[in-house]
Amino acid sequence: MTDVSGLSIAILGGTGDQGKGLARRFALAGHRVLIGSRSAQRARDAAASIGAGAAGGENAAVAAEADVVIVAVPYEGHRALLESLRAELAGKIVVDCVNPLGFDKQGAYALPVAEGSAAQQAAAVLPDSTVVAAFHHVSAVLLMDPAVDKVDLDVLVLGDDREATDIVQALAEAVPGVRGVYGGRLRNAQQIEAFTANLISINRRYKAHAGLRITDI
């Protein structure tokens, strides 16, 4: 397994439930974690609530400082944020976990994305970064629950650069109970993002925090 023990991680959108949950688990695993937000104060407040040495700042500052950057913002602001941070993210691994979803009376459904997926949109906007898709199906509730020692989940990791996907798989496995599984090229990210709508339906019907396990590997 790739050694990722010294890598620092910035999470853009780290004040939201998903971003904050990932930040908490990575901080507990010993990584230096930087939470990003449009408001530096909100980011610092979120970091303080997590503890474990997490720090916070404006998106541009934490993006420039970290080794790996996770994008966990709402899809509505996805493109604009990445366009504004193109220089800060150049040369870095950018992990996109954004799910383009809509909601109506029938529940969650996948939104169309011109580039094919949010991850492909990120790759188009960030030509000087290495974009990897991962962490789409991790329950924020489980990540934040101090009573949950191990998260029973496989994280599907997609990308076009073998070294980058190996690094992200290893980062996923820093969370106890989680396994990082290579899931294909970035062009296959659309169905991974869209499947989140199915998981939301499962969770609502069964009052659960369901995830995925891949068999026979």
Side-chain angles (χ1 to χ4, degrees):
M1 181 58 68
T2 303
D3 181 14
V4 295
S5 56
L7 293 181
S8 60
I9 304 169
I11 301 182
L12 308 181
T15 59
D17 292 342
Q18 187 79 4
K20 192 185 296 184
L22 289 170
R24 176 178 178 271
R25 293 290 174 165
F26 287 130
L28 289 173
H31 288 279
R32 181 165 181 261
V33 172
L34 305 169
I35 290 178
S37 174
R38 287 176 295 180
S39 163
Q41 187 58 54
R42 283 189 64 202
R44 287 192 289 267
D45 290 344
S49 72
I50 291 168
E58 291 184 356
N59 284 320
V62 302
E65 188 172 347
D67 298 311
V68 176
V69 179
I70 297 176
V71 183
V73 298
Y75 175 63
E76 293 74 19
H78 181 257
R79 175 188 286 276
L81 176 68
L82 296 182
E83 286 177 343
S84 73
L85 298 176
R86 189 178 284 121
E88 289 84 354
L89 295 172
K92 298 179 186 289
I93 294 174
V94 176
V95 184
D96 201 294
C97 66
V98 173
N99 296 308
L101 299 178
F103 295 86
D104 60 19
K105 292 181 179 179
Q106 297 184 63
Y109 61 96
L111 295 174
V113 179
E115 295 84 356
S117 65
Q120 288 170 289
Q121 182 180 93
V125 171
L126 303 172
D128 297 322
S129 303
T130 302
V131 175
V132 175
F135 300 112
H136 299 88
H137 306 144
V138 188
S139 165
V141 174
L142 296 182
L143 291 173
M144 288 300 295
D145 190 343
V148 176
D149 295 326
K150 292 185 178 181
V151 181
D152 184 16
L153 181 79
D154 284 342
V155 167
L156 295 176
V157 179
L158 295 87
D160 299 329
D161 183 284
R162 177 64 179 267
E163 181 180 3
T165 56
D166 284 350
I167 287 171
V168 177
Q169 284 179 253
L171 286 175
E173 298 192 4
V175 180
V178 173
R179 182 175 62 162
V181 175
Y182 174 69
R185 297 279 187 166
L186 202 66
R187 67 183 183 181
N188 292 316
Q190 187 275 333
Q191 58 263 36
I192 302 302
E193 297 170 5
F195 186 69
T196 306
N198 300 85
L199 280 178
I200 290 171
S201 299
I202 291 168
N203 288 335
R204 287 181 173 175
R205 172 64 62 91
Y206 297 101
K207 295 179 172 56
H209 302 293
L212 297 177
R213 282 292 191 195
I214 306 300
T215 63
D216 201 32
I217 57 172

